[in-house]
Amino acid sequence: MITEDQVRTALGTVVDPLLEHDIVSYRILRGFELSGEDVLVRLDIPTHAYPVPSRRELQQRIETALKPLGAKRVTVIADVSTAFTPAPSDKAVLKGPKNVLAVAAGKGGVGKSTVAVNLALALAKHGARVGLLDADVFGPSIPTMLGSPEVPAQASKDSKIIPAKMHGLSVVSVGFFVDKDEAVVWRGPMVHRLLQQFLGDVEWGDLDYLVCDLPPGTGDVQLSLSQLIPIAGAVMVTTPQEVSIVDVVKGIAMFEKVEIPILGIVENMSYYKCPACGHTDEIFSHGGGKRLAQEVGTKFFGEIPIDTRIRFGGDAGVPVIVASPDSENARLFMDLATKAALEIARLVLSKPKRTPRLAVIK
Ligand SMILES: Nc1ncnc2c1ncn2[C@@H]1O[C@H](COP(=O)(O)OP(=O)(O)OP(=O)(O)O)[C@@H](O)[C@H]1O
Ligand SMILES: [Mg+2]
C-alpha cells in the first residue's frame, strides 16, 4: 500500500533538469492525487519556453522516483503557469505583464532592437503572451522593424492606450506618437514624465512577458524605468570587440546599482558564415561576450551571427523569426528566449513565496 507521505517524499527528491533544483521547493509540483497504486502528478511549468525534451526528461524523473514505491500507473499533467516577478506597491504603475524583461547594451548600434524584437517574437512563438515596449525615446526603431501593424494603437473609452497588434505582439512605441524625423531631444524630467504616463496609461492586458527595448547607454530612460516598474531582469547585448565589451561592463554596473538583475549576455554579430561556401569569418573577433559573462559571473546566452537576412528582416519589417521560422537564425533566437525565460523563472522561484501581509487593525 503506497502512502501519501511516501509519494510526497519521493517527489521531493525529483530535480528539475533545467532549473537544477527540486520541484517541491521551486513550486513546480502543484500537487498529486493517489488512488490505490496509481499516482496523478500535476506540474506548473514556469515558462512556455521550457523545451519539450526537458519536459519529457522531467516526466521520466518523476516516474523513476515513484516506481520503487510500487506505483503502477504514473500520469503527469503539466500546465504552464508563468513564474511571476512580484511588484512592490511603490512600482505599481504597470498593470498586466507578469515579467518585464529589458534588452540593453552600453553601446549604440550593437543590435539591441534586433534582439528585443526577435526575442519577443520567439517568446510568443513558444506560446507566451508577449508585449514589446519601445522605450528608446531618442531613436525608436520598433515601428520600422515590425512594419505596419495589423491593428494600430488606439485610445480606449477612458483615454488609455491600447497597444498595436504586430505579428502577434502587443506593441507600444514612442515612434507611434512622435514624428519619425523629428529629433527627439528630451531632458531627464521629460523622459521620466513621458515614461510614467506611457507605462501607467497603457492597457497591456494579461501578458507573460513585456520586452523593453532600451536606448544605448546608462541614461535617464534606464533610471526612470528602474524607478517606475519592477524589472525581472536585463539581457545585455554586446558585439565581440573590446569597445563594446567595455561599455557593457558600465551598463551592468548601472543595472546592479538600481538592483536590476542581469539575466545574461548575448553576443551579436558574433561571426559571419558565408552562405555560398560555408566559410566562417570572425569579423569583429570572437568570444568577448562569453569571456565577459565569466568575468562578471553571469550566464552566457549564446552567439548570433552577422547575417544579411537578419538585417534585411529588420529593415523590411518582417523579422527573421517571422520571415524564416525554421532557419538556423530563428532557432538561435528561440534558444535565447528559452534561456532568458528560464533565468527569470529561476530568479522568481528561488525566492520563497511571499505571504500576503496582514493588515494591522487599530
Ligand atoms: N546579427 C545581425 N546581422 C546583421 N545585421 C544586424 C544584426 N544585428 C543587427 N543588425 C543590423 O544592425 C543595425 C543596428 O541594429 P539595431 O538597430 O538592432 O541596434 P541597436 O543597438 O538597437 O541600435 P541603437 O543603439 O541605435 O538603438 C540594423 O540595421 C540591424 O538590422
Ligand atoms: Mg535600438
Side-chain angles (χ1 to χ4, degrees):
M1 185 69 183
I2 311 173
T3 67
E4 288 194 345
D5 270 352
Q6 283 176 318
V7 174
R8 203 170 288 117
T9 310
L11 289 174
T13 65
V14 176
V15 170
D16 181 279
L18 291 175
L19 296 166
E20 294 162 337
H21 217 279
D22 76 87
I23 60 171
V24 172
S25 54
Y26 264 32
R27 308 190 288 281
I28 291 166
L29 177 71
R30 191 195 302 164
F32 67 87
E33 287 160 34
L34 176 65
S35 47
E37 285 156 342
D38 294 344
V39 191
L40 173 74
V41 179
R42 289 186 184 275
L43 301 180
D44 282 330
I45 299 293
T47 172
H48 290 85
Y50 196 106
V52 173
S54 306
R55 288 187 202 203
R56 283 201 207 104
E57 166 72 23
L58 178 54
Q59 180 163 355
Q60 198 82 54
R61 290 185 184 191
I62 289 170
E63 285 168 14
T64 309
L66 293 177
K67 282 280 142 87
L69 304 180
K72 281 233 171 66
R73 200 164 38 166
V74 176
T75 312
V76 179
I77 298 179
D79 297 317
V80 176
S81 167
T82 307
F84 197 142
T85 304
S89 55
D90 61 331
K91 286 187 183 173
V93 70
L94 193 68
K95 285 181 195 74
K98 288 183 173 177
N99 301 290
V100 181
L101 194 161
V103 177
K107 242 176 98 62
V110 295
K112 290 174 297 299
S113 304
T114 304
V115 168
V117 161
N118 284 291
L119 176 60
L121 288 166
L123 286 166
K125 200 166 162 228
H126 277 298
R129 290 160 303 179
V130 186
L132 181 61
L133 171 70
D134 184 358
D136 190 344
V137 295
F138 308 108
S141 50
I142 298 298
T144 311
M145 289 194 166
L146 285 177
S148 321
E150 288 95 67
V151 184
Q154 297 167 42
S156 71
K157 279 197 198 96
D158 51 354
S159 299
K160 297 257 182 193
I161 301 166
I162 301 173
K165 280 283 172 204
M166 301 170 97
H167 302 295
L169 304 175
S170 302
V171 184
V172 171
S173 167
V174 189
F176 294 163
F177 309 99
V178 178
D179 186 34
K180 208 167 151 194
D181 302 320
E182 194 179 310
V184 188
V185 191
W186 306 86
R187 283 184 305 115
M190 286 168 77
V191 168
H192 192 82
R193 267 203 306 279
L194 178 85
L195 286 175
Q196 191 166 27
Q197 188 186 19
F198 230 43
L199 295 168
D201 279 357
V202 178
E203 272 184 11
W204 288 106
D206 290 334
L207 295 178
D208 297 301
Y209 302 97
L210 176 65
V211 177
C212 271
D213 180 26
L214 296 180
T218 52
D220 296 320
V221 173
Q222 285 81 345
L223 208 62
S224 288
L225 274 183
S226 70
Q227 287 163 358
L228 292 168
I229 54 176
I231 298 181
V235 171
M236 303 300 291
V237 184
T238 184
T239 51
Q241 62 274 54
E242 206 49 42
V243 277
S244 173
I245 302 277
V246 170
D247 283 353
V248 167
V249 173
K250 283 188 210 150
I252 291 176
M254 185 224 50
F255 279 122
E256 279 172 353
K257 211 177 269 172
V258 293
E259 294 179 4
I260 294 175
I262 304 298
L263 300 172
I265 295 171
V266 57
E267 186 175 286
N268 188 31
M269 309 194 200
S270 195
Y271 55 90
Y272 173 75
K273 191 169 172 187
C274 173
C277 70
H279 171 73
T280 299
D281 193 3
E282 294 171 356
I283 299 175
F284 298 128
S285 135
H286 179 227
K290 193 170 195 170
R291 227 178 11 258
L292 174 66
Q294 272 162 3
E295 274 168 29
V296 298
T298 187
K299 293 258 158 55
F300 182 60
F301 282 166
E303 300 165 350
I304 311 285
I306 182 160
D307 191 319
T308 335
R309 289 163 294 189
I310 296 180
R311 186 202 52 74
F312 180 75
D315 288 353
V318 190
V320 70
I321 232 167
V322 176
S324 2
D326 300 319
S327 63
E328 173 65 7
N329 287 325
R331 194 192 60 75
L332 291 171
F333 283 115
M334 293 297 279
D335 187 46
L336 169 66
T338 292
K339 287 174 175 160
L342 279 172
E343 212 40 44
I344 292 180
R346 196 190 307 279
L347 283 171
V348 174
L349 299 175
S350 62
K351 293 194 187 88
K353 198 166 186 167
R354 290 185 318 174
T355 40
R357 217 184 306 157
L358 292 175
V360 180
I361 302 166
K362 288 186 180 160

